[in-house]
Amino acid sequence: SQSLGASLRRVRESRGVSQKTLAAKMGVSVPTISMWESDHRRPSIERLAKICEILNASAEDFLAGVGTNELSELLTQMREQISKFLGMPPDKVRIFIEI
């Protein structure tokens, strides 16, 4: 399983965004980003929402690899059921989780 900090780093790096750039867009210091990514501190819910916006990410992006595969399997099942109900492809269904 992967921590929130490790997930933040993974998503940030996958988007090609440096800690310095993310810090500037968030209005925080680079050490703050580093503390979040090393799990020494956690961003507030409001800041997590802003991180998602800046990185064009969803809660699912941060939860991938966190915990067990059960969450991933559950989200896949729910996405498929919602897509069948709405008559649309599963890849068009986005599930957001507010923590």
Side-chain angles (χ1 to χ4, degrees):
S1 70
Q2 194 174 61
S3 69
L4 177 62
S7 293
L8 172 57
R9 176 173 295 178
R10 176 182 47 78
V11 172
R12 177 184 58 75
E13 289 176 347
S14 75
R15 302 299 196 270
V17 176
S18 69
Q19 284 186 340
K20 184 177 180 179
T21 299
L22 181 58
K25 290 182 178 187
M26 292 289 301
V28 300
S29 67
V30 173
T32 296
I33 302 296
S34 180
M35 285 190 285
W36 291 343
E37 291 184 353
S38 63
D39 292 308
H40 290 346
R41 287 202 175 154
R42 292 190 138 214
S44 67
I45 296 299
E46 293 80 14
R47 286 198 167 146
L48 274 174
K50 189 168 183 178
I51 291 167
C52 286
E53 181 182 318
I54 291 167
L55 297 179
N56 192 27
S58 69
E60 284 181 309
D61 295 323
F62 290 102
L63 294 174
V66 176
T68 65
N69 287 331
E70 289 178 41
L71 178 59
S72 179
E73 290 173 20
L74 177 61
L75 289 170
T76 298
Q77 291 171 1
M78 294 299 103
R79 187 177 292 105
E80 289 172 0
Q81 288 180 6
I82 291 167
S83 71
K84 284 179 186 176
F85 181 78
L86 295 175
M88 61 190 321
D91 64 333
K92 298 293 182 187
V93 176
R94 296 204 38 142
I95 299 172
F96 293 90
I97 301 170
E98 187 172 335
I99 300 172

